[in-house]
Amino acid sequence: MYSSSESLILGSLVVIYFLFLFGVSFYINRTSIKTYDDYNVAGRSVSIFPLILTFVGTAVGGATLLGFMQNGFLYGMGQQWLNLAILISGLLMLGILLKKIRALGEKYQMVTIADFTVLRFGEGARIPTVVSVLVANCALTGMQFAAIATVLNLTMGLNITTGILISWVLLTLKTYYGGMKSVIWQDAFHGTIQTVGIFVLFVVVIIASGGLGRVSEQAALANQSEFLSLLGISPSEVFVYLLTIGAYQFVRQDLWQRFWAAGSAKIARNGYWVSIILTFITGVFIVSTGVMGRFGLNIGEIDSSLTYYTIIGNVFSFPMVIVMVIALLATVISSADSFCMSGASSIINDIIKPRLKETPDLDSRLLKYSRLSVVIVSVFSLILALSIPKLVGLWVTGAAMLVAGLLAPVIAGLFWKKATRLGGTVAMWVGLIVAVTWQILGHPFGLHPIFVGFPISILMIIVVSLVTTDESYNI
Protein backbone atom coordinates (compact mmCIF):
# COMPACT_ATOMS: atom_id res chain seq x y z
CA MET A 1 0.00 0.00 0.00
CA TYR A 2 2.90 2.36 0.75
CA SER A 3 6.37 2.55 -0.78
CA SER A 4 9.38 1.64 1.35
CA SER A 5 10.25 5.31 1.92
CA GLU A 6 6.67 6.18 2.86
CA SER A 7 6.52 3.21 5.24
CA LEU A 8 9.76 4.38 6.86
CA ILE A 9 8.35 7.88 7.36
CA LEU A 10 5.05 6.62 8.76
CA GLY A 11 6.73 4.09 11.02
CA SER A 12 9.14 6.70 12.37
CA LEU A 13 6.30 9.11 13.12
CA VAL A 14 4.34 6.39 14.94
CA VAL A 15 7.36 5.70 17.17
CA ILE A 16 7.96 9.43 17.78
CA TYR A 17 4.29 9.94 18.65
CA PHE A 18 4.34 7.13 21.21
CA LEU A 19 7.55 8.48 22.73
CA PHE A 20 5.93 11.91 23.03
CA LEU A 21 2.89 10.46 24.81
CA PHE A 22 5.11 8.43 27.12
CA GLY A 23 7.05 11.58 27.95
CA VAL A 24 3.84 13.41 28.83
CA SER A 25 2.69 10.52 31.03
CA PHE A 26 6.05 10.40 32.80
CA TYR A 27 5.95 14.17 33.38
CA ILE A 28 2.43 14.02 34.83
CA ASN A 29 3.49 11.10 37.01
CA ARG A 30 6.38 13.12 38.45
CA THR A 31 4.49 16.40 38.94
CA SER A 32 0.79 15.68 39.50
CA ILE A 33 0.20 12.15 40.79
CA LYS A 34 0.66 12.06 44.53
CA THR A 35 -2.33 10.07 45.79
CA TYR A 36 -4.53 7.07 45.01
CA ASP A 37 -7.38 9.41 43.96
CA ASP A 38 -5.03 11.33 41.63
CA TYR A 39 -4.18 8.10 39.83
CA ASN A 40 -7.67 6.57 39.64
CA VAL A 41 -10.16 9.48 39.42
CA ALA A 42 -7.89 12.43 38.48
CA GLY A 43 -8.34 14.05 41.89
CA ARG A 44 -12.11 14.55 41.25
CA SER A 45 -11.42 18.02 39.82
CA VAL A 46 -11.65 17.79 36.01
CA SER A 47 -12.98 20.90 34.21
CA ILE A 48 -15.53 20.87 31.39
CA PHE A 49 -13.29 21.13 28.30
CA PRO A 50 -11.05 18.11 28.99
CA LEU A 51 -14.10 16.26 30.33
CA ILE A 52 -16.02 16.66 27.04
CA LEU A 53 -13.05 15.50 25.00
CA THR A 54 -12.26 12.54 27.26
CA PHE A 55 -15.90 11.42 26.94
CA VAL A 56 -15.62 11.65 23.14
CA GLY A 57 -12.09 10.27 23.01
CA THR A 58 -13.08 7.17 24.98
CA ALA A 59 -16.37 6.60 23.14
CA VAL A 60 -14.80 6.87 19.66
CA GLY A 61 -12.04 4.26 19.56
CA GLY A 62 -10.39 1.94 17.11
CA ALA A 63 -13.48 -0.21 16.64
CA THR A 64 -15.50 2.92 15.84
CA LEU A 65 -13.15 4.48 13.30
CA LEU A 66 -11.89 1.29 11.65
CA GLY A 67 -14.77 -1.11 12.43
CA PHE A 68 -17.73 1.21 11.78
CA MET A 69 -16.18 2.45 8.52
CA GLN A 70 -15.58 -1.14 7.45
CA ASN A 71 -19.19 -2.03 8.32
CA GLY A 72 -20.47 0.97 6.36
CA PHE A 73 -18.43 -0.13 3.34
CA LEU A 74 -19.65 -3.75 3.58
CA TYR A 75 -23.27 -3.36 4.68
CA GLY A 76 -24.39 0.22 4.08
CA MET A 77 -26.28 2.89 6.01
CA GLY A 78 -28.16 0.34 8.10
CA GLN A 79 -25.00 0.29 10.22
CA GLN A 80 -25.99 3.74 11.50
CA TRP A 81 -27.94 1.75 14.10
CA LEU A 82 -24.59 1.31 15.82
CA ASN A 83 -24.60 5.08 16.38
CA LEU A 84 -28.32 5.27 17.12
CA ALA A 85 -27.92 2.62 19.83
CA ILE A 86 -25.20 4.70 21.50
CA LEU A 87 -27.23 7.92 21.12
CA ILE A 88 -30.41 6.45 22.61
CA SER A 89 -28.60 4.97 25.60
CA GLY A 90 -26.61 8.19 26.07
CA LEU A 91 -29.78 10.28 26.25
CA LEU A 92 -31.32 7.84 28.73
CA MET A 93 -28.15 7.93 30.83
CA LEU A 94 -28.21 11.73 30.79
CA GLY A 95 -31.91 12.05 31.65
CA ILE A 96 -32.33 9.25 34.18
CA LEU A 97 -29.08 7.88 35.62
CA LEU A 98 -26.34 10.52 35.65
CA LYS A 99 -27.67 12.62 38.54
CA LYS A 100 -28.10 9.62 40.83
CA ILE A 101 -24.74 8.05 39.90
CA ARG A 102 -22.94 11.35 40.53
CA ALA A 103 -24.69 11.94 43.87
CA LEU A 104 -23.89 8.45 45.19
CA GLY A 105 -20.29 8.67 44.03
CA GLU A 106 -19.84 12.06 45.68
CA LYS A 107 -21.45 10.93 48.94
CA TYR A 108 -19.50 7.69 49.30
CA GLN A 109 -16.29 8.65 47.40
CA MET A 110 -16.81 5.81 44.92
CA VAL A 111 -14.15 4.72 42.46
CA THR A 112 -15.77 1.73 40.72
CA ILE A 113 -19.20 0.28 39.96
CA ALA A 114 -18.47 -2.41 42.57
CA ASP A 115 -18.44 0.34 45.22
CA PHE A 116 -22.10 0.83 44.37
CA THR A 117 -23.11 -2.82 44.01
CA VAL A 118 -21.43 -3.77 47.30
CA LEU A 119 -23.10 -0.84 49.05
CA ARG A 120 -26.48 -1.84 47.63
CA PHE A 121 -26.28 -5.65 47.57
CA GLY A 122 -23.53 -6.52 50.07
CA GLU A 123 -20.14 -8.22 49.78
CA GLY A 124 -21.59 -11.09 47.73
CA ALA A 125 -21.92 -8.68 44.80
CA ARG A 126 -18.23 -7.74 44.72
CA ILE A 127 -16.74 -10.64 42.77
CA PRO A 128 -19.40 -10.95 40.02
CA THR A 129 -19.22 -7.18 39.48
CA VAL A 130 -15.44 -7.25 39.20
CA VAL A 131 -15.50 -10.25 36.84
CA SER A 132 -18.09 -8.60 34.56
CA VAL A 133 -16.19 -5.31 34.45
CA LEU A 134 -12.84 -6.99 33.86
CA VAL A 135 -14.12 -9.21 31.04
CA ALA A 136 -15.58 -6.18 29.25
CA ASN A 137 -12.66 -3.81 29.79
CA CYS A 138 -10.02 -6.38 28.92
CA ALA A 139 -11.91 -7.10 25.69
CA LEU A 140 -12.15 -3.39 24.89
CA THR A 141 -8.48 -2.75 25.71
CA GLY A 142 -7.46 -5.75 23.63
CA MET A 143 -9.55 -4.37 20.79
CA GLN A 144 -7.39 -1.23 20.76
CA PHE A 145 -4.20 -3.34 20.75
CA ALA A 146 -5.53 -5.05 17.62
CA ALA A 147 -6.39 -1.69 16.03
CA ILE A 148 -2.89 -0.31 16.60
CA ALA A 149 -1.46 -3.56 15.21
CA THR A 150 -3.20 -2.85 11.90
CA VAL A 151 -1.52 0.57 11.80
CA LEU A 152 1.90 -0.99 12.46
CA ASN A 153 1.19 -3.67 9.87
CA LEU A 154 0.52 -1.12 7.14
CA THR A 155 3.12 1.47 8.10
CA MET A 156 6.02 -0.76 9.13
CA GLY A 157 5.16 -4.12 7.57
CA LEU A 158 4.90 -5.88 10.95
CA ASN A 159 2.61 -8.89 11.17
CA ILE A 160 -0.52 -8.51 13.31
CA THR A 161 0.75 -10.64 16.20
CA THR A 162 3.97 -8.64 16.49
CA GLY A 163 1.99 -5.41 16.20
CA ILE A 164 -0.32 -6.45 19.03
CA LEU A 165 2.68 -7.27 21.24
CA ILE A 166 4.36 -3.92 20.52
CA SER A 167 1.16 -1.93 21.11
CA TRP A 168 0.68 -3.82 24.38
CA VAL A 169 4.13 -2.80 25.63
CA LEU A 170 3.82 0.85 24.57
CA LEU A 171 0.29 1.42 25.89
CA THR A 172 0.99 -0.41 29.14
CA LEU A 173 4.03 1.76 29.87
CA LYS A 174 2.14 4.96 29.05
CA THR A 175 -0.83 4.06 31.25
CA TYR A 176 1.34 2.64 34.05
CA TYR A 177 3.03 5.99 34.62
CA GLY A 178 0.23 8.43 33.77
CA GLY A 179 -2.89 7.03 35.44
CA MET A 180 -6.31 8.63 34.98
CA LYS A 181 -4.99 12.19 35.20
CA SER A 182 -2.72 11.63 32.21
CA VAL A 183 -5.48 9.72 30.39
CA ILE A 184 -7.94 12.60 30.68
CA TRP A 185 -5.53 15.35 29.64
CA GLN A 186 -4.16 13.33 26.74
CA ASP A 187 -7.75 12.55 25.72
CA ALA A 188 -8.36 16.29 25.46
CA PHE A 189 -5.52 16.44 22.93
CA HIS A 190 -6.49 13.21 21.16
CA GLY A 191 -10.19 14.08 21.12
CA THR A 192 -9.45 17.33 19.29
CA ILE A 193 -7.26 15.62 16.68
CA GLN A 194 -9.66 12.77 16.01
CA THR A 195 -12.79 14.93 15.80
CA VAL A 196 -11.23 17.43 13.40
CA GLY A 197 -9.61 14.64 11.35
CA ILE A 198 -12.84 12.66 10.94
CA PHE A 199 -14.80 15.79 9.99
CA VAL A 200 -12.21 16.79 7.37
CA LEU A 201 -12.17 13.27 5.91
CA PHE A 202 -15.97 13.20 5.67
CA VAL A 203 -16.12 16.54 3.83
CA VAL A 204 -13.29 15.64 1.45
CA VAL A 205 -14.89 12.26 0.60
CA ILE A 206 -18.23 13.95 -0.15
CA ILE A 207 -16.49 16.37 -2.52
CA ALA A 208 -14.40 13.62 -4.14
CA SER A 209 -17.52 11.49 -4.58
CA GLY A 210 -19.29 14.25 -6.49
CA GLY A 211 -21.92 14.81 -3.82
CA LEU A 212 -24.60 12.65 -2.22
CA GLY A 213 -26.65 12.63 -5.43
CA ARG A 214 -23.89 10.89 -7.35
CA VAL A 215 -23.42 8.36 -4.56
CA SER A 216 -27.13 7.54 -4.82
CA GLU A 217 -26.87 7.21 -8.61
CA GLN A 218 -23.88 4.86 -8.37
CA ALA A 219 -25.68 2.70 -5.80
CA ALA A 220 -28.71 2.47 -8.13
CA LEU A 221 -26.50 1.55 -11.09
CA ALA A 222 -24.96 -1.22 -9.00
CA ASN A 223 -28.50 -2.36 -8.09
CA GLN A 224 -27.67 -1.82 -4.42
CA SER A 225 -29.89 1.11 -3.46
CA GLU A 226 -30.75 -0.70 -0.22
CA PHE A 227 -27.22 0.14 0.97
CA LEU A 228 -28.37 3.74 1.42
CA SER A 229 -31.37 2.87 3.60
CA LEU A 230 -31.34 2.96 7.41
CA LEU A 231 -33.59 -0.08 7.22
CA GLY A 232 -30.99 -2.12 5.36
CA ILE A 233 -30.31 -4.20 8.45
CA SER A 234 -32.08 -7.15 10.07
CA PRO A 235 -34.19 -6.50 13.22
CA SER A 236 -32.17 -9.08 15.16
CA GLU A 237 -28.94 -7.24 14.37
CA VAL A 238 -30.51 -3.97 15.53
CA PHE A 239 -31.48 -5.55 18.85
CA VAL A 240 -27.98 -7.01 19.28
CA TYR A 241 -26.54 -3.50 18.89
CA LEU A 242 -29.14 -1.96 21.22
CA LEU A 243 -28.60 -4.58 23.93
CA THR A 244 -24.80 -4.69 23.69
CA ILE A 245 -23.12 -1.52 22.42
CA GLY A 246 -26.16 0.54 23.45
CA ALA A 247 -27.04 -0.96 26.84
CA TYR A 248 -23.36 -1.27 27.69
CA GLN A 249 -23.23 2.53 28.06
CA PHE A 250 -25.29 2.27 31.28
CA VAL A 251 -22.68 0.12 33.01
CA ARG A 252 -19.50 1.48 31.46
CA GLN A 253 -17.21 1.88 34.45
CA ASP A 254 -14.99 4.40 32.67
CA LEU A 255 -18.09 6.54 32.11
CA TRP A 256 -19.14 6.39 35.78
CA GLN A 257 -15.58 7.28 36.77
CA ARG A 258 -15.65 10.39 34.60
CA PHE A 259 -18.91 11.48 36.22
CA TRP A 260 -17.11 11.22 39.56
CA ALA A 261 -13.90 12.81 38.26
CA ALA A 262 -15.73 15.99 37.14
CA GLY A 263 -15.23 19.06 39.32
CA SER A 264 -18.98 19.32 39.99
CA ALA A 265 -22.30 17.70 39.10
CA LYS A 266 -23.02 20.57 36.69
CA ILE A 267 -19.73 20.02 34.86
CA ALA A 268 -20.47 16.28 34.62
CA ARG A 269 -23.94 16.90 33.17
CA ASN A 270 -22.99 19.63 30.71
CA GLY A 271 -19.84 17.84 29.59
CA TYR A 272 -21.73 14.62 28.98
CA TRP A 273 -24.59 16.04 26.90
CA VAL A 274 -22.17 17.89 24.62
CA SER A 275 -20.13 14.70 24.20
CA ILE A 276 -23.26 12.67 23.33
CA ILE A 277 -23.96 14.94 20.37
CA LEU A 278 -20.32 15.04 19.23
CA THR A 279 -19.97 11.27 19.49
CA PHE A 280 -23.16 10.65 17.50
CA ILE A 281 -22.20 13.08 14.73
CA THR A 282 -18.69 11.60 14.57
CA GLY A 283 -20.08 8.07 14.32
CA VAL A 284 -22.52 9.06 11.57
CA PHE A 285 -19.66 10.63 9.58
CA ILE A 286 -17.57 7.45 9.95
CA VAL A 287 -20.23 5.01 8.70
CA SER A 288 -21.23 7.42 5.91
CA THR A 289 -17.59 7.72 4.80
CA GLY A 290 -17.44 3.94 4.41
CA VAL A 291 -20.62 3.92 2.32
CA MET A 292 -19.42 6.79 0.12
CA GLY A 293 -16.07 5.09 -0.32
CA ARG A 294 -17.89 2.11 -1.84
CA PHE A 295 -20.14 4.00 -4.26
CA GLY A 296 -18.73 7.54 -4.57
CA LEU A 297 -15.05 6.72 -4.87
CA ASN A 298 -15.57 3.41 -6.70
CA ILE A 299 -12.61 1.83 -4.91
CA GLY A 300 -13.78 -1.62 -5.99
CA GLU A 301 -13.06 -4.91 -4.31
CA ILE A 302 -10.62 -4.46 -1.44
CA ASP A 303 -9.71 -6.13 1.82
CA SER A 304 -12.52 -4.56 3.87
CA SER A 305 -10.30 -4.35 6.97
CA LEU A 306 -8.28 -1.74 5.03
CA THR A 307 -11.27 0.47 4.23
CA TYR A 308 -10.00 3.47 6.21
CA TYR A 309 -6.49 3.31 4.77
CA THR A 310 -7.76 2.81 1.21
CA ILE A 311 -10.10 5.80 1.44
CA ILE A 312 -7.52 8.21 2.86
CA GLY A 313 -5.00 7.04 0.26
CA ASN A 314 -7.59 7.66 -2.46
CA VAL A 315 -8.47 11.25 -1.52
CA PHE A 316 -5.31 12.62 0.12
CA SER A 317 -1.70 13.22 -0.84
CA PHE A 318 0.91 11.50 1.30
CA PRO A 319 1.47 14.45 3.72
CA MET A 320 -2.25 14.41 4.57
CA VAL A 321 -2.17 10.61 4.85
CA ILE A 322 0.39 11.11 7.62
CA VAL A 323 -2.01 13.48 9.41
CA MET A 324 -4.86 10.96 9.11
CA VAL A 325 -2.72 8.13 10.46
CA ILE A 326 -1.93 10.34 13.48
CA ALA A 327 -5.69 11.00 13.82
CA LEU A 328 -6.25 7.23 13.82
CA LEU A 329 -3.61 6.72 16.49
CA ALA A 330 -5.19 9.48 18.59
CA THR A 331 -8.55 7.75 18.26
CA VAL A 332 -7.24 4.36 19.31
CA ILE A 333 -4.97 5.46 22.14
CA SER A 334 -7.64 7.66 23.74
CA SER A 335 -9.82 4.57 24.21
CA ALA A 336 -7.12 2.03 25.03
CA ASP A 337 -5.71 3.73 28.11
CA SER A 338 -9.20 4.60 29.39
CA PHE A 339 -10.43 1.01 29.27
CA CYS A 340 -7.18 -0.27 30.75
CA MET A 341 -7.45 2.19 33.66
CA SER A 342 -11.09 1.24 34.20
CA GLY A 343 -10.25 -2.45 34.52
CA ALA A 344 -7.23 -1.72 36.72
CA SER A 345 -9.42 0.31 39.09
CA SER A 346 -11.55 -2.78 39.67
CA ILE A 347 -8.54 -4.85 40.67
CA ILE A 348 -7.01 -2.33 43.08
CA ASN A 349 -10.23 -0.89 44.51
CA ASP A 350 -12.37 -4.01 44.69
CA ILE A 351 -9.93 -6.89 45.21
CA ILE A 352 -6.72 -5.52 46.75
CA LYS A 353 -7.89 -2.50 48.80
CA PRO A 354 -10.46 -4.37 50.95
CA ARG A 355 -7.69 -6.74 52.05
CA LEU A 356 -5.17 -4.08 53.11
CA LYS A 357 -4.85 -2.98 56.72
CA GLU A 358 -5.22 0.69 57.62
CA THR A 359 -1.70 2.06 58.07
CA PRO A 360 -0.08 5.51 57.72
CA ASP A 361 1.38 4.52 54.34
CA LEU A 362 -1.86 3.00 52.99
CA ASP A 363 -2.29 5.61 50.24
CA SER A 364 1.23 5.10 48.88
CA ARG A 365 0.72 1.33 48.88
CA LEU A 366 -2.59 1.75 47.04
CA LEU A 367 -0.82 3.89 44.45
CA LYS A 368 1.84 1.19 43.96
CA TYR A 369 -0.78 -1.56 43.62
CA SER A 370 -2.78 0.61 41.19
CA ARG A 371 0.14 0.53 38.78
CA LEU A 372 0.52 -3.22 39.24
CA SER A 373 -3.18 -3.57 38.40
CA VAL A 374 -2.61 -1.79 35.08
CA VAL A 375 -0.05 -4.44 34.15
CA ILE A 376 -2.43 -7.29 35.12
CA VAL A 377 -5.28 -5.88 33.02
CA SER A 378 -2.99 -5.30 30.05
CA VAL A 379 -1.82 -8.93 30.12
CA PHE A 380 -5.39 -10.29 30.05
CA SER A 381 -6.22 -7.78 27.30
CA LEU A 382 -3.25 -9.01 25.29
CA ILE A 383 -4.51 -12.59 25.51
CA LEU A 384 -7.95 -11.56 24.23
CA ALA A 385 -6.48 -9.46 21.41
CA LEU A 386 -4.41 -12.42 20.22
CA SER A 387 -7.45 -14.71 20.45
CA ILE A 388 -10.13 -12.46 18.87
CA PRO A 389 -8.48 -9.80 16.68
CA LYS A 390 -11.76 -8.85 14.92
CA LEU A 391 -12.55 -5.35 16.21
CA VAL A 392 -16.35 -4.94 16.31
CA GLY A 393 -16.83 -8.60 17.25
CA LEU A 394 -14.51 -8.21 20.22
CA TRP A 395 -16.38 -5.06 21.32
CA VAL A 396 -19.80 -6.71 21.06
CA THR A 397 -18.57 -9.79 22.95
CA GLY A 398 -17.15 -7.75 25.83
CA ALA A 399 -20.22 -5.53 26.03
CA ALA A 400 -22.53 -8.56 26.08
CA MET A 401 -20.76 -10.06 29.10
CA LEU A 402 -21.01 -6.76 30.99
CA VAL A 403 -24.68 -6.14 30.18
CA ALA A 404 -25.74 -9.72 30.95
CA GLY A 405 -24.02 -9.64 34.33
CA LEU A 406 -24.62 -6.11 35.59
CA LEU A 407 -27.30 -4.09 33.82
CA ALA A 408 -30.44 -5.56 35.43
CA PRO A 409 -29.14 -5.56 39.04
CA VAL A 410 -27.57 -2.09 38.70
CA ILE A 411 -30.77 -0.50 37.34
CA ALA A 412 -32.87 -2.34 39.95
CA GLY A 413 -30.46 -1.28 42.69
CA LEU A 414 -30.73 2.37 41.69
CA PHE A 415 -34.51 2.57 41.28
CA TRP A 416 -36.34 -0.44 42.76
CA LYS A 417 -36.56 -0.44 46.54
CA LYS A 418 -37.68 -4.07 46.67
CA ALA A 419 -34.48 -5.33 45.05
CA THR A 420 -32.69 -7.39 47.71
CA ARG A 421 -29.07 -8.34 48.36
CA LEU A 422 -29.65 -11.96 47.36
CA GLY A 423 -31.66 -10.97 44.29
CA GLY A 424 -28.90 -8.67 43.03
CA THR A 425 -26.10 -11.16 43.64
CA VAL A 426 -27.92 -14.10 42.05
CA ALA A 427 -28.86 -12.00 39.00
CA MET A 428 -25.22 -10.99 38.48
CA TRP A 429 -23.79 -14.49 38.72
CA VAL A 430 -26.48 -16.23 36.68
CA GLY A 431 -26.57 -13.59 33.91
CA LEU A 432 -22.79 -13.58 33.56
CA ILE A 433 -22.35 -17.38 33.67
CA VAL A 434 -25.14 -18.00 31.17
CA ALA A 435 -23.77 -15.39 28.73
CA VAL A 436 -20.18 -16.67 28.96
CA THR A 437 -21.35 -20.29 28.57
CA TRP A 438 -23.48 -19.38 25.56
CA GLN A 439 -20.50 -17.62 23.97
CA ILE A 440 -18.21 -20.63 24.56
CA LEU A 441 -20.83 -22.98 23.07
CA GLY A 442 -20.84 -20.91 19.88
CA HIS A 443 -24.29 -19.26 20.06
CA PRO A 444 -26.62 -22.32 20.07
CA PHE A 445 -29.82 -21.95 17.98
CA GLY A 446 -28.29 -18.82 16.42
CA LEU A 447 -29.01 -16.76 19.55
CA HIS A 448 -26.54 -14.13 20.66
CA PRO A 449 -25.50 -14.51 24.36
CA ILE A 450 -27.17 -11.19 25.21
CA PHE A 451 -30.58 -12.60 24.22
CA VAL A 452 -30.14 -15.37 26.78
CA GLY A 453 -28.06 -13.97 29.66
CA PHE A 454 -29.79 -10.59 29.98
CA PRO A 455 -33.43 -11.83 30.16
CA ILE A 456 -32.42 -14.49 32.69
CA SER A 457 -30.67 -11.84 34.79
CA ILE A 458 -33.85 -9.71 34.74
CA LEU A 459 -35.91 -12.72 35.77
CA MET A 460 -33.54 -13.55 38.64
CA ILE A 461 -33.51 -10.04 40.13
CA ILE A 462 -37.32 -9.91 40.08
CA VAL A 463 -38.13 -13.43 41.30
CA VAL A 464 -35.47 -13.70 44.02
CA SER A 465 -36.16 -10.18 45.31
CA LEU A 466 -39.89 -10.87 45.57
CA VAL A 467 -39.37 -13.97 47.69
CA THR A 468 -36.74 -12.39 50.00
CA THR A 469 -36.73 -9.21 52.08
CA ASP A 470 -34.12 -6.86 53.56
CA GLU A 471 -33.46 -3.14 53.94
CA SER A 472 -30.55 -2.85 51.54
CA TYR A 473 -32.26 0.04 49.69
CA ASN A 474 -31.48 2.38 52.61
CA ILE A 475 -28.32 3.96 51.20
Side-chain angles (χ1 to χ4, degrees):
M1 179 170 284
Y2 302 113
S3 67
S4 57
S5 60
E6 289 174 339
S7 294
L8 178 62
I9 292 170
L10 286 169
S12 300
L13 287 173
V14 168
V15 172
I16 291 169
Y17 191 63
F18 265 109
L19 290 174
F20 165 72
L21 295 177
F22 176 75
V24 172
S25 294
F26 190 75
Y27 173 79
I28 289 175
N29 171 66
R30 295 293 298 272
T31 59
S32 302
I33 298 176
K34 307 298 181 185
T35 68
Y36 171 69
D37 263 6
D38 285 341
Y39 193 83
N40 287 282
V41 285
R44 303 181 191 272
S45 58
V46 180
S47 58
I48 190 163
F49 177 71
L51 189 70
I52 290 171
L53 291 172
T54 192
F55 278 137
V56 175
T58 304
V60 181
T64 306
L65 183 50
L66 298 179
F68 284 22
M69 193 173 293
Q70 178 184 1
N71 279 18
F73 179 82
L74 288 174
Y75 309 119
M77 283 295 188
Q79 296 302 300
Q80 296 290 7
W81 280 97
L82 287 160
N83 297 307
L84 288 168
I86 295 172
L87 175 66
I88 292 167
S89 61
L91 293 174
L92 290 173
M93 173 70 91
L94 178 68
I96 301 172
L97 300 177
L98 190 156
K99 183 177 180 181
K100 195 152 192 173
I101 291 170
R102 169 71 193 195
L104 286 168
E106 200 167 0
K107 181 178 180 180
Y108 295 102
Q109 293 294 288
M110 292 178 176
V111 175
T112 64
I113 290 179
D115 283 335
F116 166 71
T117 58
V118 169
L119 180 70
R120 182 66 174 82
F121 297 119
E123 277 296 325
R126 185 181 301 278
I127 297 303
T129 303
V130 172
V131 171
S132 296
V133 170
L134 281 177
V135 168
N137 280 284
C138 287
L140 293 165
T141 305
M143 179 176 70
Q144 309 310 320
F145 292 164
I148 292 176
T150 67
V151 179
L152 298 177
N153 172 258
L154 287 169
T155 58
M156 303 174 71
L158 298 176
N159 64 56
I160 295 298
T161 299
T162 303
I164 288 174
L165 290 169
I166 290 174
S167 64
W168 165 63
V169 171
L170 295 174
L171 285 169
T172 300
L173 286 173
K174 187 187 88 67
T175 310
Y176 177 90
Y177 282 104
M180 183 63 79
K181 186 165 285 190
S182 173
V183 166
I184 286 178
W185 281 104
Q186 288 190 21
D187 279 358
F189 175 65
H190 289 144
T192 302
I193 293 175
Q194 74 178 42
T195 302
V196 172
I198 291 167
F199 175 77
V200 169
L201 177 61
F202 175 72
V203 172
V204 170
V205 169
I206 287 180
I207 295 170
S209 299
L212 297 177
R214 185 173 181 277
V215 171
S216 180
E217 291 172 5
Q218 291 297 315
L221 288 173
N223 199 28
Q224 293 180 319
S225 294
E226 70 278 3
F227 266 66
L228 304 184
S229 171
L230 285 176
L231 300 179
I233 184 172
S234 68
S236 63
E237 192 175 0
V238 170
F239 280 112
V240 168
Y241 290 157
L242 288 172
L243 291 177
T244 53
I245 292 174
Y248 146 77
Q249 308 299 317
F250 300 128
V251 282
R252 262 181 60 191
Q253 182 160 281
D254 63 284
L255 194 55
W256 287 43
Q257 288 175 323
R258 280 158 175 73
F259 294 156
W260 298 330
S264 67
K266 182 179 180 181
I267 289 174
R269 183 180 63 253
N270 291 343
Y272 187 54
W273 78 255
V274 172
S275 75
I276 291 171
I277 304 303
L278 280 176
T279 299
F280 176 69
I281 292 172
T282 301
V284 169
F285 283 179
I286 291 170
V287 173
S288 301
T289 300
V291 176
M292 289 187 292
R294 183 184 185 97
F295 296 109
L297 301 180
N298 291 319
I299 57 180
E301 294 298 323
I302 61 168
D303 180 349
S304 63
S305 65
L306 304 180
T307 300
Y308 175 79
Y309 306 99
T310 304
I311 288 175
I312 64 174
N314 193 281
V315 299
F316 290 130
S317 61
F318 183 67
M320 272 303 297
V321 168
I322 293 174
V323 174
M324 296 309 298
V325 169
I326 296 298
L328 171 60
L329 283 175
T331 301
V332 176
I333 294 168
S334 63
S335 290
D337 51 13
S338 296
F339 294 133
C340 187
M341 274 302 305
S342 178
S345 296
S346 287
I347 293 177
I348 176 59
N349 189 74
D350 305 324
I351 297 176
I352 298 176
K353 184 180 178 183
R355 290 163 174 77
L356 296 179
K357 293 181 179 179
E358 189 75 37
T359 60
D361 67 340
L362 177 61
D363 197 78
S364 63
R365 286 192 292 150
L366 286 172
L367 184 55
K368 179 180 71 174
Y369 288 130
S370 293
R371 292 194 169 98
L372 175 62
S373 300
V374 166
V375 176
I376 294 171
V377 168
S378 75
V379 170
F380 281 109
S381 302
L382 171 65
I383 293 170
L384 284 173
L386 293 171
S387 304
I388 317 174
K390 189 175 180 181
L391 297 178
V392 175
L394 189 52
W395 186 3
V396 171
T397 299
M401 302 304 108
L402 187 64
V403 170
L406 283 189
L407 183 57
V410 164
I411 298 298
L414 285 169
F415 298 105
W416 189 35
K417 289 186 176 181
K418 290 185 178 181
T420 64
R421 289 187 179 92
L422 185 60
T425 303
V426 169
M428 289 178 200
W429 275 120
V430 173
L432 177 63
I433 291 172
V434 168
V436 170
T437 302
W438 210 259
Q439 177 70 25
I440 292 172
L441 293 175
H443 301 197
F445 311 111
L447 290 175
H448 193 279
I450 197 66
F451 292 140
V452 183
F454 183 48
I456 290 177
S457 180
I458 295 173
L459 183 64
M460 289 296 101
I461 186 71
I462 294 172
V463 171
V464 177
S465 293
L466 289 178
V467 298
T468 58
T469 57
D470 60 37
E471 295 185 358
S472 61
Y473 62 86
N474 289 322
I475 58 175

